[in-house]
């Protein structure tokens, strides 16, 4: 009998754990019994998220800067899950976080707090999507991302895949899928290399979900969202996951929720059909057009156009085109998208630019026919790298070999939507 997906992943994790702790030490705790991440860093704080199956009631945290112990804290665990907000930190400072769960120590996590909104220093962040720990998707991509050690990593969906082999239906099953990914050694190395912001796309619940599936699979949807909240806690609770944050003087990021408020994909493409919902759409337009950052990066888990199927903005074009028009004249706008599993550079109405990224570790997509707005495509594992220095933004495609296979530098004026653009 062939091993199941879960059994195969356990064998891979166990082998990696033995290599990490030494094959002759049978008493050492198994690192695959716990997973941690440092999330949502701002200038003064970050969240530490913990999961474990070890049965302990709390985790002990140590926070260091330049080798000196800065804080000690504990994380209360319920069903092996908990989070703790670490506050009182210094802006633009490198910290190391270690987590102790009984005899098991994890980390250190290397995390950088955000530079203050008036700090003009250069910045570098990474963006990607689509991560599955199955051995068939193994490449050097995750290790290339970890080696880059960006200031911040942004995941824009399908982290993890919960709907195959077989699909998760309940909270314990969804937790198992998140656990499989977070304890995957290459993913653990990425999460230990930098802080993280994240949003779900579809596979955290089920493929291509929209309002229709929320209605007909309500219990499954509730289980999926509860579990995502457990593994990706925010400072606030509730349904609002879209948010924005500054990373210095020159960058503000706007992370959209393209799932929870959307209409059914099959609905007529008219003024009533929505990807974002009225409240989120108004929030986005108001905050982007008022932002004082040099560059405004809008993170959408699905592409604006030129994708395959009906699960992206092309079938919500009435709302998309109205959004484009509302952004005309606002300098420094760049959309970054995922979902389709190939790298691309796009140009849209009013000259609006979009970079499409992913996958990190999942099957490579097959693009449809090209179009005048498709400037570049690459069918390969990838992550996007944004580097900003003053009025210059460079977007690079990072490959599994650690090399930059694409590079484009633009100014805020280049990224200003214009009529006739």
């Amino acid at each position: 009998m062939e091993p199941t997906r879960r059994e195969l992943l356990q064998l891979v994790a166990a082998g990696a754990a033995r290599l990490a702790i030494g094959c002759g030490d049978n008493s050492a705790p198994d690192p695959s019994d716990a997973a941690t991440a440092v999330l949502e860093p701002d200038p003064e704080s970050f969240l530490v998220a913990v999961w474990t199956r070890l049965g302990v009631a709390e985790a002990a945290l140590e926070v260091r800067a330049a080798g000196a112990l800065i804080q000690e804290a504990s994380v209360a665990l319920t069903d092996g899950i908990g989070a703790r907000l670490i506050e009182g930190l210094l802006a633009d400072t490198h910290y190391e976080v270690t987590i102790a769960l009984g005899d098991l120590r994890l980390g250190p996590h290397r995390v950088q707090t955000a530079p203050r909104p008036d700090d003009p220093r250069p910045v570098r962040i990474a963006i990607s999507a689509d991560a599955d720990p199955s051995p068939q998707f193994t490449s050097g991509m995750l290790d290339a991302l970890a080696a880059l050690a960006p200031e911040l990593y942004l995941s824009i969906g399908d982290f993890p895949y919960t709907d195959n082999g077989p699909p998760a239906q309940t909270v314990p099953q969804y937790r198992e899928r998140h656990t499989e990914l977070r304890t995957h050694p290459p993913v653990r190395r990425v999460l230990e290399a930098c802080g993280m912001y994240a949003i779900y796309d579809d596979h955290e619940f089920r493929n291509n979900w929209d309002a229709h599936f929320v209605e007909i699979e309500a219990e499954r949807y509730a289980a999926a969202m509860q579990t995502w909240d457990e593994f990706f806690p925010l400072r606030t609770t509730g349904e609002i996951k879209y948010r924005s944050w500054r990373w210095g003087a020159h960058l503000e990021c706007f992370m959209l929720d393209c799932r929870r408020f959307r209409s059914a994909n099959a609905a007529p493409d008219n003024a009533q059909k929505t990807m974002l919902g009225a409240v989120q759409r108004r929030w986005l337009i108001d905050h982007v057009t008022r932002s004082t950052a040099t560059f405004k990066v809008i993170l959408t888990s699905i592409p604006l156009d030129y994708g395959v199927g009906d699960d992206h903005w092309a079938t919500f074009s009435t709302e998309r085109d109205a959004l484009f028009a509302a952004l005309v004249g606002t300098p420094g706008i760049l959309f970054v998208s995922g979902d389709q599993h190939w790298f691309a550079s796009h140009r849209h109405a009013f000259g609006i630019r979009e970079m499409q990224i992913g996958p990190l570790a999942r099957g490579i997509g097959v693009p449809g026919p090209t179009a005048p707005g498709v400037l570049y495509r690459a069918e390969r594992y990838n992550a996007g790298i944004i580097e900003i220095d003053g009025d210059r933004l460079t977007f690079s495609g990072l490959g599994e070999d650690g090399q930059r296979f694409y590079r484009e530098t633009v100014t805020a004026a280049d990224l200003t939507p214009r009529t006739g653009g």
Side-chain angles (χ1 to χ4, degrees):
M1 180 182 298
E2 293 186 358
T4 65
R5 166 193 165 91
R6 175 59 187 155
E7 291 168 341
L8 186 57
L9 289 170
Q10 286 176 325
L11 288 171
V12 172
R18 283 194 296 272
L19 287 173
I21 65 178
C23 296
D25 186 0
N26 295 324
S27 64
D30 186 348
S32 67
D33 284 333
T36 52
V38 179
L39 308 171
E40 307 286 312
D42 68 13
E44 299 176 347
S45 65
F46 48 69
L47 280 160
V48 180
V50 179
W51 166 89
T52 183
R53 63 164 65 93
L54 290 172
V56 297
E58 67 176 25
L61 310 181
E62 294 180 349
V63 181
R64 287 179 165 80
L69 181 63
I70 302 300
Q71 287 192 36
E72 294 180 292
S74 62
V75 182
L77 303 176
T78 302
D79 293 335
I81 297 169
R84 177 68 182 261
L85 181 65
I86 303 298
E87 300 178 277
L89 305 176
L90 299 176
D92 198 22
T93 300
H94 294 269
Y95 292 94
E96 290 191 349
V97 182
T98 56
I99 299 99
L101 294 151
D103 293 331
L104 178 63
R105 290 180 64 86
L106 296 174
H109 286 269
R110 294 168 176 85
V111 57
Q112 184 170 350
T113 48
R116 293 198 179 280
D118 60 352
D119 188 339
R121 73 159 177 81
V123 299
R124 180 178 65 173
I125 67 171
I127 310 171
S128 199
D130 315 311
D132 187 322
S134 298
Q136 70 202 80
F137 305 122
T138 297
S139 76
M141 191 62 244
L142 286 161
D143 283 332
L145 179 57
L148 182 73
E151 297 174 28
L152 186 66
Y153 168 54
L154 314 181
S155 174
I156 56 173
D158 298 342
F159 191 105
Y161 284 76
T162 67
D163 55 347
N164 56 359
Q169 301 282 339
T170 65
V171 168
Q173 291 169 347
Y174 278 107
R175 286 174 177 170
E176 191 66 23
R177 293 305 179 81
H178 281 264
T179 300
E180 288 173 355
L181 183 61
R182 288 222 183 161
T183 58
H184 185 45
V187 171
R188 192 190 295 277
R189 289 191 285 273
V190 171
L191 297 181
E192 290 180 348
C194 57
M196 180 184 191
Y197 278 76
I199 190 67
Y200 42 73
D201 189 39
D202 56 337
H203 291 284
E204 290 86 349
F205 167 28
R206 55 110 66 226
N207 188 41
N208 292 352
W209 66 275
D210 56 16
H212 171 70
F213 290 106
V214 171
E215 179 179 358
I216 67 172
E217 297 185 6
E219 290 186 5
R220 183 182 177 190
Y221 168 74
M225 292 297 98
Q226 174 187 327
T227 307
W228 196 89
D229 288 345
E230 291 172 347
F231 280 80
F232 290 99
L234 303 180
R235 289 179 173 81
T236 58
T237 59
E239 289 191 344
I240 304 302
K241 310 300 178 189
Y242 57 86
R243 56 207 189 275
S244 65
W245 66 92
R246 290 292 289 260
W247 202 263
H250 296 303
L251 175 62
E252 186 165 6
C253 297
F254 299 84
M255 184 167 271
L256 302 184
D257 183 341
C258 295
R259 291 291 166 183
R260 192 183 291 259
F261 306 105
R262 74 156 68 183
S263 305
N265 289 343
D269 191 351
N270 55 32
Q272 283 70 51
K273 187 177 186 180
T274 181
M275 176 76 71
L276 302 178
V279 174
Q280 182 179 191
R281 182 173 63 250
R282 187 72 260 162
W283 165 87
L284 176 64
I285 293 169
D286 287 349
H287 284 74
V288 170
T289 56
R290 295 173 185 171
S291 175
T292 60
T294 308
F295 295 99
K296 299 89 174 167
V297 173
I298 302 174
L299 302 152
T300 167
S301 62
I302 40 84
L304 300 173
D305 206 344
Y306 313 124
V308 174
D310 66 353
D311 190 51
H312 60 291
W313 279 97
T315 57
F316 293 75
S317 63
T318 303
E319 182 179 47
R320 180 201 64 193
D321 294 349
L323 174 61
F324 284 174
L327 298 177
V328 168
T330 302
I333 291 177
L334 175 66
F335 285 82
V336 181
S337 64
D339 182 71
Q340 294 283 308
H341 294 222
W342 66 83
F343 184 95
S345 172
H346 298 154
R347 187 187 305 275
H348 302 282
F350 308 112
I352 286 174
R353 295 296 308 277
E354 172 194 13
M355 306 302 298
Q356 179 180 296
I357 51 78
L360 271 179
R362 186 68 180 185
I364 307 296
V366 179
T370 191
V374 178
L375 308 181
Y376 178 85
R377 281 174 171 169
E379 299 167 43
R380 59 183 298 172
Y381 293 115
N382 68 85
I385 309 301
I386 289 179
E387 295 166 301
I388 297 174
D389 189 354
D391 188 41
R392 296 172 64 83
L393 181 152
T394 298
F395 195 99
S396 302
L398 179 72
E400 63 269 33
D401 57 0
Q403 301 300 307
R404 312 285 182 101
F405 62 86
Y406 177 91
R407 190 187 304 263
E408 181 179 359
T409 299
V410 291
T411 66
D414 296 331
L415 296 178
T416 302
R418 294 182 172 86
T419 56

